[in-house]
Amino acid sequence: MFQQAPVLLLVDDSNVNLEILKDILKRYPLLTATNGKEALLLATAEPKPDLILLDVVMPGMDGFETCRKLKERAVTRNIPVIFITGQNDSDHILKGFEVGAVDYITKPFNIPELKARVKTQLTIKMARDQNLRLLQKIELVNKQLTDSIRYAQKIQNASLPKQTYLDQVMPEYFVLLKPRDIVSGDFYWVGEVDSRLLVVAADSTGHGVPGAFMSMFGVAYLNQIVGYQSVSIPSQILDRLRSIVIDSFQQTESSEVKDGMDIGVLSIDRTRKEIEFAGAFNPLYIIRNNELTIVSADHMPVSIGEVDRPYHNHIIPYQKGDALYLFTDGYASQFGGPDDKKIKSTGFRQLLIEHHHLPMCEQKTIYDQFFEEWKGNGEQVDDVLLIGIRL
Ligand SMILES: [Mg+2]
């Protein structure tokens, strides 16, 4: 529906023709012009016409020229134009379509046909206007949502460790976090208990806003478990985290909500020169002398699951120069490359082995660029988190 009755602009240098048209189309609000110049003025003024009936042969600016000018201007471009012509040879008609007309009516007028053609064009215009209004509405809602998520991103960033703190406590390191939808389900956490440095890389169920909410819980729980309760053994951290998640979300075997997180917890003890690691689905990679060792994770999520054993705690002595990598599944899951395939764990491991000897900050740039090139114009499929540490 038009929001108001559709307005027609009739343009003809012959007053007789104008009077005939006015009589045939008297049910519509009408504007009239007797030349091209006047028509252009009326087309830009209010009320703007919804349809223009335009005579071809007029002194001065003819109908073709007038139509061309209407189509050049953004404000009048979308007003449909029907030509009124006495010459119904096809060259003439084609020229009319070329300059942007949607239809033509021949003189002398066939009244029912003229009315039908006008009605058809008004119906099309009405549908197009409605689409345009819907599109504008969608764009507005989309903008409001995006603004809101961008603001949420600031809040989420505040929950992550500050770079100044990381620079102070971490060995040589990098963190590559690439959220899929502005905010992220992947998050990292760093803390200290006595001589141990704890580094956590986690992937909350889902991504976007639900993932980000879950990540905020994850950060709060880790603060509680490690920060206040001083638990520093990775497997014990995961045991506690799992029971808090199950309690908080009241998860049971039959409950629908089984959200939680996949996570790797690393503890570095620099006085004892050893690392400890426990993982829920996410393993740890250690590269020493070009050889990559996988420290495996338990196949138990940090949420209600089929098995409920304690997590396995790995204790590994380390050597100076070892490169450690904590990560989520997003990097290896990315589609792209020459055959639009996933990078996969093998490709990911190959990439790390090739570059592990480089300074950590250089590695970050390389892994980021490789990921972007692999993805190309495709969509990022998941949040991506990769942490590199040189001992
Ligand atoms: Mg993931």
Side-chain angles (χ1 to χ4, degrees), residues 369-381:
Q369 278 173 356
F370 179 89
F371 183 88
E372 287 304 322
E373 278 164 25
W374 186 268
K375 176 166 78 73
N377 293 325
E379 290 213 347
Q380 186 174 332
V381 298

Side-chain angles (χ1 to χ4, degrees), residues 186 203-204 206 262 328-330 333 382-384:
D186 285 10
D203 178 350
S204 315
D262 297 343
T328 57
D329 63 345
S333 309
D382 196 2
D383 298 324
V384 167

Side-chain angles (χ1 to χ4, degrees), residues 166-356:
L166 294 179
D167 291 346
Q168 200 184 316
V169 300
M170 292 279 278
E172 191 198 343
Y173 77 101
F174 73 82
V175 176
L176 178 64
L177 175 63
K178 294 169 80 69
R180 196 194 88 151
D181 305 311
I182 309 171
V183 288
S184 173
D186 285 10
F187 68 96
Y188 55 100
W189 188 94
V190 173
E192 293 162 289
V193 180
D194 303 325
S195 63
R196 288 157 173 260
L197 174 69
L198 286 142
V199 185
V200 175
D203 178 350
S204 315
T205 314
H207 34 71
V209 173
F213 270 113
M214 188 55 99
S215 83
M216 302 294 280
F217 274 109
V219 168
Y221 295 154
L222 286 165
N223 283 336
Q224 185 182 329
I225 297 166
V226 186
Y228 304 126
Q229 298 169 0
S230 299
V231 181
S232 62
I233 297 172
S235 61
Q236 289 180 6
I237 293 173
L238 288 188
D239 291 338
R240 294 230 187 161
L241 189 58
R242 179 172 58 186
S243 66
I244 297 179
V245 167
I246 292 171
D247 276 358
S248 307
F249 293 90
Q250 300 180 338
Q251 295 178 341
T252 60
E253 295 288 350
S254 57
S255 63
E256 270 180 40
V257 183
K258 290 185 178 168
D259 297 284
M261 52 201 86
D262 297 343
I263 187 166
V265 179
L266 170 73
S267 152
I268 303 168
D269 192 328
R270 275 185 269 201
T271 54
R272 291 164 62 181
K273 284 218 165 245
E274 68 186 20
I275 55 170
E276 290 184 30
F277 175 78
F281 287 106
N282 294 349
L284 167 74
Y285 290 165
I286 304 174
I287 308 183
R288 179 184 299 168
N289 302 329
N290 295 311
E291 222 166 273
L292 186 147
T293 307
I294 302 171
V295 185
S296 60
D298 289 293
H299 284 249
M300 296 187 293
V302 175
S303 65
I304 194 94
E306 281 158 25
V307 261
D308 188 10
R309 284 183 276 104
Y311 289 91
H312 186 235
N313 200 58
H314 302 264
I315 303 177
I316 303 152
Y318 73 76
Q319 288 179 12
K320 193 168 164 44
D322 283 355
L324 310 183
Y325 299 94
L326 282 168
F327 50 88
T328 57
D329 63 345
Y331 200 103
S333 309
Q334 182 59 45
F335 280 93
D339 303 315
D340 197 27
K341 284 193 174 144
K342 285 186 181 182
I343 294 173
K344 288 195 187 160
S345 299
T346 43
F348 178 49
R349 287 200 283 262
Q350 198 50 47
L351 191 69
L352 297 180
I353 292 168
E354 252 171 62
H355 301 99
H356 76 282

